[in-house]
Every structure is written in C-alpha cells, then in structure tokens.
Amino acid sequence: GAGVSQSPRYKVAKRGQDVALRCDPISGHVSLFWYQQALGQGPEFLTYFQNEAQLDKSGLPSDRFFAERPEGSVSTLKIQRTQQEDSAVYLCASSLGSRSYNEQFFGPGTRLTVL
Amino acid sequence: AQSVTQLDSQVPVFEEAPVELRCNYSSSVSVYLFWYVQYPNQGLQLLLKYLSGSTLVKGINGFEAEFNKSQTSFHLRKPSVHISDTAEYFCAVSPYDKVIFGPGTSLSVIP
C-alpha cells in the first residue's frame, strides 16, 4: 500500500501569492495532521482533522492559513498572501485511529520557499 | 501546556559505540511519549513509544528508551550504533490529540 503523499514536493512563491499544498493520507486513516518544520527545528503542530472535522486549529500561525478535508480523505493547506516567514517544510501525517497514541505516518513534505 | 527539550542538538559518535540521546519534557497532565527518526531525504518514522506499563520500551533497529516520571525524561539509547543510524531524532509528547515535537538531535555516526 502507498504511504502518505504530498504535492508539490517543492514550491517557490513570490511574496503575496497564494499557495495550496495537497496531502493524500493512507487510505482508511481517520486522523490527519499538518505540521510546519522550519530549518533545523522539529515539526510544529498546525492543525488536526478527524475524518472531515477540523478538531484543532490552534497551531495555525495566522488567518492567512486555512486547511480543509471536505470528504475526510485528501486535505489541502492553503496559505494566502504568502510572507517570507512562511518558508518552511510543510509535513502531513495520518493515523489509523483517533487517539494520539496511534502511530503517525508522515509524508515527504512540501518545501515552500517564499521570495 | 506541554514542551519538549532535547539538550543536545548534535551528537557525533564512533561506529559500534553506545549512544544516549536525551529528552526531557514538561506537562501538567499525563502524556504519551514518542521517538521519531528522520533519515536523510526521508519522512519521519516512529522508532518507539511509551503509553503505559513497563518504563523500558524497545523499538526498531535496536533502540530502546526509558521513561522516568520523577525526572520527566525519556532518553533514547542504543548499545552499538551503525553508520545507517545517522539521522535526525525527535522526541515528542502527546497529551491526548496533538503531538508536540522537540527541536531534534542530529546523530552522526563516524566510521
């Protein structure tokens, strides 16, 4: 079976542009997480979905960040009016169950560079 | 709120030597504890986790970790490292849903 996939793998945006990052979780996985990983840092939690419900978005840095998972499968993280500080690797992870003790399976990430 | 501290940002070690990667956490509630590894150009993968029970947890690739509640630590150990263990190691805690990662420790195994 396929793992978690993310697209694009690399994205270069000019400051002020909108971007959309896609995550395809493992089929059947209930939970989906988005993280932001700055260079040399650990992943920082952004938001969490259980099926199509966004249960926690406390980590989104500003209202320019928006995530959705309308059918409980594929998820999109959208960043509006990108800023240089948004440059990072954006990681998506999915897990089979709804509790945090379930193993999270990570995608390869999307490296966003904002010029 | 929860936080994770990994005191060593870089750990160089010779091949076949033992290694310990340190992790301390703070939390006002009980948490689950994890170690994830990120090999060069690969995604993060779970090494091991502590949920409850025995404080010594064994994971993949010969790694183990010991939970110490009084010291709020969850140090990762391996008795003999291989070149292939060169990677970034992240300690993480989870109170109930979100997972909070530490800053990571870069392990470099020297031939």
Side-chain angles (χ1 to χ4, degrees), chain A residues 33 35 37 40-43 45 48 55-56 58-59 91 98-108, chain B residues 32 34 36 38 41-46 49 51 88 90 94-104:
Chain A
F33 304 82
Y35 296 89
Q37 187 175 19
Q41 301 295 319
F45 171 82
Y48 156 60
L55 297 187
D56 189 334
S58 62
L91 300 173
S98 59
R99 298 299 303 275
S100 63
Y101 53 66
N102 295 116
E103 178 179 357
Q104 292 190 21
F105 293 85
F106 282 80
Chain B
Y32 305 122
F34 308 83
Y36 278 83
Q38 188 171 31
N41 300 314
Q42 294 186 29
L44 281 88
Q45 57 183 278
L46 182 67
K49 63 183 176 183
L51 304 183
E88 192 81 17
F90 295 95
S94 178
Y96 54 92
D97 53 9
K98 68 176 74 172
V99 177
I100 298 150
F101 287 84

Side-chain angles (χ1 to χ4, degrees), chain A:
Chain A
V4 178
S5 61
Q6 293 186 246
S7 60
R9 291 292 312 278
Y10 302 91
K11 177 69 179 177
V12 179
K14 292 182 179 179
R15 192 161 60 105
Q17 281 185 331
D18 298 349
V19 298
L21 313 180
R22 177 187 170 104
C23 172
D24 284 80
I26 294 172
S27 178
H29 276 199
V30 169
S31 300
L32 186 145
F33 304 82
W34 281 100
Y35 296 89
Q36 181 189 62
Q37 187 175 19
L39 190 63
Q41 301 295 319
E44 289 206 15
F45 171 82
L46 293 178
T47 187
Y48 156 60
F49 291 85
Q50 187 175 318
N51 296 308
E52 68 278 4
Q54 189 174 20
L55 297 187
D56 189 334
K57 54 181 181 179
S58 62
L60 295 176
S62 75
D63 58 8
R64 296 185 296 104
F65 287 70
F66 172 77
E68 60 183 4
R69 193 186 185 199
E71 297 178 359
S73 178
V74 172
S75 178
T76 304
L77 177 67
K78 297 178 179 177
I79 310 173
Q80 297 177 323
R81 305 181 303 281
T82 52
Q83 304 294 315
Q84 286 189 323
E85 61 263 28
D86 300 334
S87 295
V89 175
Y90 290 85
L91 300 173
C92 174
S94 69
S95 66
L96 185 59
S98 59
R99 298 299 303 275
S100 63
Y101 53 66
N102 295 116
E103 178 179 357
Q104 292 190 21
F105 293 85
F106 282 80
T110 294
R111 183 177 297 277
L112 173 65
T113 303
V114 181
L115 303 177

Side-chain angles (χ1 to χ4, degrees), chain B residues 11 13-22 35 37 39 47-48 56-66 74-87 89 107 109:
Chain B
V11 173
V13 62
F14 286 104
E15 193 175 14
E16 297 183 7
V19 69
E20 178 180 81
L21 305 184
R22 295 180 293 170
W35 276 97
V37 60
Y39 296 106
L47 262 184
L48 49 79
L56 184 63
V57 181
K58 294 190 183 297
I60 62 171
N61 299 337
F63 283 93
E64 63 181 31
E66 186 156 20
F74 191 53
H75 301 332
L76 181 71
R77 303 186 184 101
K78 186 169 182 177
S80 176
V81 295
H82 300 135
I83 296 290
S84 59
D85 293 325
T86 293
Y89 291 80
L107 175 64
V109 180

Side-chain angles (χ1 to χ4, degrees), chain B residues 3-12 20-25 35 71-76 88-91 101-106:
Chain B
S3 66
V4 179
T5 303
Q6 292 181 249
L7 293 172
D8 306 304
S9 59
Q10 297 184 5
V11 173
E20 178 180 81
L21 305 184
R22 295 180 293 170
C23 172
N24 289 85
Y25 68 94
W35 276 97
Q71 296 186 4
T72 59
S73 67
F74 191 53
H75 301 332
L76 181 71
E88 192 81 17
Y89 291 80
F90 295 95
C91 182
F101 287 84
T105 296
S106 178

